[in-house]
Amino acid sequence: MKVTVFGFEDCPFCQKTKRFLQARGVEYEVRDIELDEEAAAECKRISGDLAVPVTTIDGKNYVVGFDKRKIEELLASA
Amino acid sequence: MKERLHKDVVIIGAGMAGLTAALYCGRMNLDTLVLENGIIGGQIANATDIENYPGFVSVKGGDLISTVQTQAENFGAVIDEFDEIEKVTLKTSPKIIETQEKIYEADVVIIASGMNRRKLPLPEEKKFAGRGVHYCELCDGHAYDGKIIAVMGGGNAAVDAANFLTKYAKKLYLIHRSEFRADEVSQKRLRANDKVTIMLQTEIKALRGDKRLEEVEIFDKKSGETKTLAIDGIFVNIGVEPNTALFKDELTLTASGRISAGEDCRTEIDGVFAAGDVREKEIRQLTTAASDGTTAALLAEKYLAKLKG
């Protein structure tokens, strides 16, 4: 399972999402949609928008924003 | 069965007031827990350039709050930003804070739960929330690079938000139903930007769009005219509401929904303090939030010393 968080550095909820995954011991990759155009395009392809954070597993199922329960469900579904 | 833990002090809210209280409590060797349901820093986490906090010419809200968080944690305060509070019981001794995962017994509770932005009072708000209607410029502004943005509101937060969003917008409207209340310095900066059109005495009457916001209907109160503006995203800054729903059965709230407590931050319940924007007071600034946090922590320590004899 590959967990990816799309976001950018100054985004408070992106930071919270990353801290949450760290606290749960989940390994994840960060893709910065401000610095990386490909990441922005990929984020838009997955969620249809540029609202972040987007937490996704293998680019399929995803959660927009920081929602603890939904992220836990996403992780449990993998 | 939830785990039961005892704490000297539980601080509810990790904005400037709560983290300052945590820093002081930590320095006094009090066993201190901070619970935060939203984001660490609260409103200030989204502030882009703070120019009125002494000691800094200009500082990002996130950077400032991150430093205060480090200070608090270095002195032993523990911050939990994931375990949400379900219920508080303040009139007992000890006081009980029940979260999703634990039950905390606390000798002192410092309420520093701050404020949330007021939602746009239009029936279409729900349809467009996150799809053209936003409440966090720092989080969502980037999605409107090269697009048409509106900011709704006329206070400092609205004008600062508008100034920040000009870096993305190809065109920005500031729409406010009355006159500016923002500082002259911020107003001047906004007025000097060619991308900006300021529409005072103007109300937003309706939001329209298929899947996302596409246009807004506005009403010019001076001319009596109704117009339609093409807008990709609107950032709402029409004031804030206190986060006091958890305490409404425990403490007397004021007409504005805040907690009644004097400059000593003491509430009507012994050992319960209110600090920062959630406390009813005339001036609500970052500096006064830090001041409240300090006062609450120092008086909490005195209360605890008396309690423990």
Side-chain angles (χ1 to χ4, degrees):
Chain A
M1 145 176 117
K2 185 180 167 195
V3 178
T4 305
V5 178
F6 290 89
F8 60 96
E9 201 181 329
D10 283 342
C11 157
F13 286 103
C14 304
Q15 291 164 2
K16 180 159 180 165
T17 302
K18 289 186 272 182
R19 288 193 296 267
F20 179 71
L21 293 173
Q22 282 159 21
R24 291 288 188 273
V26 176
E27 283 188 23
Y28 60 92
E29 177 196 24
V30 177
R31 297 194 64 191
D32 191 312
I33 63 158
E34 278 204 333
L35 303 177
D36 178 355
E37 280 181 17
E38 276 181 30
E42 180 72 359
C43 178
K44 205 164 181 176
R45 186 193 65 74
I46 293 167
S47 70
D49 208 339
L50 278 177
V52 289
V54 170
T55 306
T56 178
I57 294 181
D58 300 328
K60 289 171 192 154
N61 295 330
Y62 64 91
V63 175
V64 180
F66 177 78
D67 185 319
K68 185 176 129 178
R69 283 186 195 88
K70 283 185 184 168
I71 294 173
E72 277 173 340
E73 282 168 19
L74 179 76
L75 296 172
S77 72
Chain B
M1 184 109 163
K2 290 179 183 175
E3 187 182 4
R4 255 185 131 85
L5 295 164
H6 180 270
K7 296 282 166 188
D8 291 331
V9 182
V10 169
I11 299 167
I12 299 174
M16 182 55 89
L19 289 178
T20 305
L23 154 61
Y24 272 81
C25 287
R27 278 176 68 91
M28 292 184 290
N29 277 334
L30 301 177
D31 184 8
T32 305
L33 172 72
V34 185
L35 295 169
E36 170 58 61
N37 284 355
I39 48 174
I40 293 177
Q43 295 177 80
I44 217 65
N46 298 326
T48 47
D49 295 298
I50 298 168
E51 296 174 336
N52 58 0
Y53 196 80
F56 299 88
V57 174
S58 178
V59 61
K60 281 186 195 172
D63 292 345
L64 177 62
I65 216 69
S66 168
T67 305
V68 186
Q69 179 185 352
T70 302
Q71 288 177 282
E73 288 174 334
N74 283 351
F75 287 116
V78 172
I79 301 168
D80 189 331
E81 58 174 325
F82 304 121
D83 192 8
E84 288 176 21
I85 300 174
E86 291 182 335
K87 193 180 175 214
V88 297
T89 307
L90 301 175
K91 288 169 188 159
T92 54
S93 185
K95 297 141 201 350
I96 309 293
I97 292 102
E98 186 169 352
T99 65
Q100 288 172 327
E101 293 170 17
K102 295 189 174 80
I103 295 173
Y104 293 103
E105 297 176 350
D107 294 324
V108 165
V109 172
I110 298 175
I111 302 169
S113 49
M115 318 276 279
N116 269 342
R117 280 203 201 174
R118 189 169 288 142
K119 295 263 193 290
L120 181 61
L122 288 175
E124 312 91 280
E125 193 272 345
K126 276 197 177 138
K127 177 181 172 186
F128 295 115
R131 297 177 181 281
V133 174
H134 300 274
Y135 297 89
C136 176
E137 296 75 31
L138 191 57
C139 312
D140 302 325
H142 67 93
Y144 294 93
D145 199 11
K147 298 198 171 171
I148 305 171
I149 298 176
V151 171
M152 188 177 178
N156 277 325
V159 174
D160 289 347
N163 276 317
F164 170 71
L165 289 168
T166 54
K167 78 173 186 174
Y168 299 116
K170 76 171 177 194
K171 173 78 197 161
L172 186 141
Y173 296 96
L174 185 127
I175 303 171
H176 183 46
R177 64 180 179 173
S178 57
E179 296 300 322
F180 271 135
R181 286 175 288 108
D183 294 342
E184 274 297 325
V185 176
S186 304
Q187 281 188 47
K188 267 189 191 164
R189 197 178 298 159
L190 191 66
R191 287 183 200 279
N193 193 312
D194 293 341
K195 293 179 187 174
V196 176
T197 298
I198 294 169
M199 307 173 99
L200 299 177
Q201 299 293 341
T202 303
E203 288 180 0
I204 295 180
K205 289 290 189 190
L207 310 175
R208 296 198 196 98
D210 182 14
K211 287 184 181 160
R212 295 188 52 88
L213 179 69
E214 290 166 18
E215 57 184 38
V216 300
E217 185 183 301
I218 55 165
F219 173 68
D220 184 329
K221 288 161 73 177
K222 283 179 289 185
S223 68
E225 265 182 82
T226 297
K227 279 196 285 192
T228 298
L229 283 180
I231 300 280
D232 296 304
I234 180 164
F235 288 79
V236 183
N237 268 286
I238 54 171
V240 285
E241 289 173 337
N243 287 322
T244 48
L246 270 174
F247 316 109
K248 64 180 170 33
D249 296 331
E250 299 287 314
L251 290 162
T252 311
L253 302 182
T254 64
S256 66
R258 294 185 177 85
I259 296 169
S260 181
E263 287 300 310
D264 59 6
C265 298
R266 289 186 172 108
T267 68
E268 64 202 274
I269 302 174
D270 280 349
V272 177
F273 299 82
D277 285 3
V278 79
R279 180 170 77 82
E280 185 66 58
K281 55 181 177 173
E282 196 172 346
I283 306 297
R284 286 185 288 274
Q285 293 287 307
L286 199 51
T287 45
T288 60
S291 166
D292 273 10
T294 309
T295 303
L298 292 172
L299 294 179
E301 196 273 336
K302 280 191 175 178
Y303 171 83
L304 275 167
K306 217 171 173 182
L307 191 72
K308 291 179 178 175

